[in-house]
Amino acid sequence: QVQLVESGGGLVQAGGSLRLSCAASGRTFSRFVMGWFRQAPGKEREFVAAISWSGGSTHYADYVKGRFTISRDNAKNTVYLQMNSLKPEDTAVYYCAARSTENLLSSRYRTYDYWGQGTQVTVSS
């Protein structure tokens, strides 16, 4: 079992930045592909970014590429999402997720086994 706890959400003006953190406890963190997803009201959960076990490979959704950066610190059992140049359309609840099978970066939320409770990000125009 893995427990994931997100933090760092909040209210920011368009063009601003936030850094989300996701602290993991339980099983060996370094053997999980980690992902970030988001869900806006009335919309389906959508992929944001994923990172491999070692952090050497990353994958981003087109709508955040060049603005968001995913990283991890396996010594601290933490994954991060640095969000720059935020837009109002980035407003959503952001979820951290862990995938326990294969070191493959997946954008499909059903392939992730563990989820955090989410943290709200609101970008004002």
Side-chain angles (χ1 to χ4, degrees):
Q1 193 75 351
V2 173
Q3 293 77 44
L4 303 173
V5 179
E6 302 98 333
S7 61
L11 174 64
V12 64
Q13 289 188 333
S17 299
L18 281 175
R19 188 174 85 152
L20 305 184
S21 299
C22 173
S25 61
R27 293 172 57 186
T28 306
F29 177 74
S30 61
R31 299 295 287 185
F32 287 92
V33 167
M34 299 300 297
W36 286 97
F37 290 76
R38 68 187 185 186
Q39 189 166 18
K43 295 187 177 181
E44 293 189 353
R45 190 167 300 191
E46 63 180 12
F47 171 73
V48 175
I51 190 166
S52 63
W53 292 350
S54 68
S57 296
T58 57
H59 175 49
Y60 296 92
D62 287 344
Y63 36 82
V64 304
K65 199 172 292 183
R67 300 188 298 123
F68 290 12
T69 302
I70 188 171
S71 62
R72 67 190 297 165
D73 185 338
N74 287 343
K76 295 183 178 180
N77 286 4
T78 302
V79 62
Y80 305 97
L81 185 69
Q82 178 67 44
M83 306 186 294
N84 298 329
S85 302
L86 283 161
K87 305 175 181 180
E89 50 264 44
D90 294 319
T91 295
V93 176
Y94 282 71
Y95 296 92
C96 171
R99 172 185 161 93
S100 62
T101 56
E102 300 181 288
N103 192 19
L104 295 177
L105 305 184
S106 173
S107 60
R108 297 166 54 204
Y109 73 86
R110 295 184 188 277
T111 63
Y112 288 79
D113 305 294
Y114 304 99
W115 292 85
Q117 82 289 350
T119 185
Q120 177 70 47
V121 171
T122 303
V123 184
S124 63
S125 57

